[in-house]
């Protein structure tokens, strides 16, 4: 669950992040594949990138996860992640790749939202990302 410090920050910024999450996801993938073209050919599916399906899947899952943490602060939404974990395992993802996604995703958040991303806001969304990331890494390890 989220810390007492991050919970109100996520609650307050969820609307603006939710409104912009498609654009954030689009810029995140562009930036990541510019830096790591090997991932586009080796891991991701070009067809799913071309029609924007993967952008929507990632954006939708982060927004849904954050909404759940805010609406049910005493629960962890394990069930929201099991389909993603199975997909990741079928592709042979490794835990260190979560750092790569983190780096480019947070670059995109700042690129889209600009000064709204105060250090406090960045820290709260960082917590959401790693809560999700670590839950996925754990589930994937167990599969
Ligand atoms: C917190 C971090 C992450 C979240 C929330 C997330 C979310 C998702 C979601 C929702 C899907 C779609 C699953 C489906 O088809 O049902 C997906 C697929 C996928 N994810 Fe992740 N993911 C994360 C981290 C990563 C990392 C670190 C990598 C590796 C660099 C990665 C690579 C992929 C790939 C290759 C697919 C399949 C995409 C395709 O079909 O082209 N993901 N992820």
């Amino acid at each position: 669950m989220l810390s007492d410090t991050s919970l109100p920050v996520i609650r307050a910024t969820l609307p603006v992040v939710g409104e912009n999450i498609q654009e954030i996801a689009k810029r995140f993938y562009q930036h990541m594949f510019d830096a790591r073209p090997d991932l586009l050919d080796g891991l991701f599916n070009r067809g799913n990138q071309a029609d924007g399906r993967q952008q929507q899947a990632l954006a939708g899952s982060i927004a849904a996860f954050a909404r759940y943490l805010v609406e049910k602060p005493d629960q962890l939404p394990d069930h929201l992640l099991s389909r993603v974990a199975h997909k990741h395992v079928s592709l042979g993802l490794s835990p260190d790749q979560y750092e790569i996604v983190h780096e480019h995703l947070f670059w995109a958040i700042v690129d889209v939202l600009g000064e709204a991303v105060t250090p406090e806001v960045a820290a709260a969304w960082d917590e959401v990302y790693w809560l999700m990331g670590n839950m996925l890494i754990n589930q994937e390890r167990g599969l």
Side-chain angles (χ1 to χ4, degrees):
M1 64 190 70
L2 276 176
S3 65
D4 292 344
T5 318
S6 294
L7 184 62
V9 182
I10 297 300
R11 187 177 284 126
T13 51
L14 197 51
V16 66
V17 171
E19 275 165 31
N20 289 283
I21 194 85
Q22 299 291 348
E23 185 60 25
I24 291 169
K26 199 171 120 200
R27 291 195 207 176
F28 151 67
Y29 280 110
Q30 268 165 8
H31 199 254
M32 183 168 77
F33 292 139
D34 281 351
R36 294 291 306 265
D38 56 305
L39 290 178
L40 184 51
D41 285 316
L43 185 60
F44 285 83
N45 176 310
R46 272 186 187 269
N48 292 351
Q49 284 300 323
D51 68 10
R53 220 178 317 157
Q54 176 58 18
Q55 274 101 322
Q56 277 167 22
L58 180 91
S61 76
I62 294 176
F65 188 86
R67 203 172 304 121
Y68 195 101
L69 293 178
V70 164
E71 284 170 7
K72 301 195 167 92
D74 54 343
Q75 290 177 35
L76 271 183
D78 259 314
H79 60 284
L80 290 184
L81 298 179
S82 80
R83 187 191 144 117
V84 182
H86 278 91
K87 179 82 187 178
H88 284 169
V89 167
S90 76
L91 296 163
L93 231 90
S94 59
D96 55 294
Q97 289 172 325
Y98 282 84
E99 273 297 345
I100 304 171
V101 165
H102 176 262
E103 178 194 337
H104 295 285
L105 186 59
F106 278 72
W107 172 87
I109 290 174
V110 173
D111 199 46
V112 174
L113 300 181
E115 287 176 3
V117 190
T118 61
E120 198 187 25
V121 170
W125 282 94
D126 221 57
E127 199 178 315
V128 172
Y129 178 84
W130 283 115
L131 209 51
M132 234 179 154
N134 285 324
M135 281 169 71
L136 279 168
I137 289 169
N138 281 334
Q139 283 194 24
E140 286 160 23
R141 201 176 283 133
L143 288 172

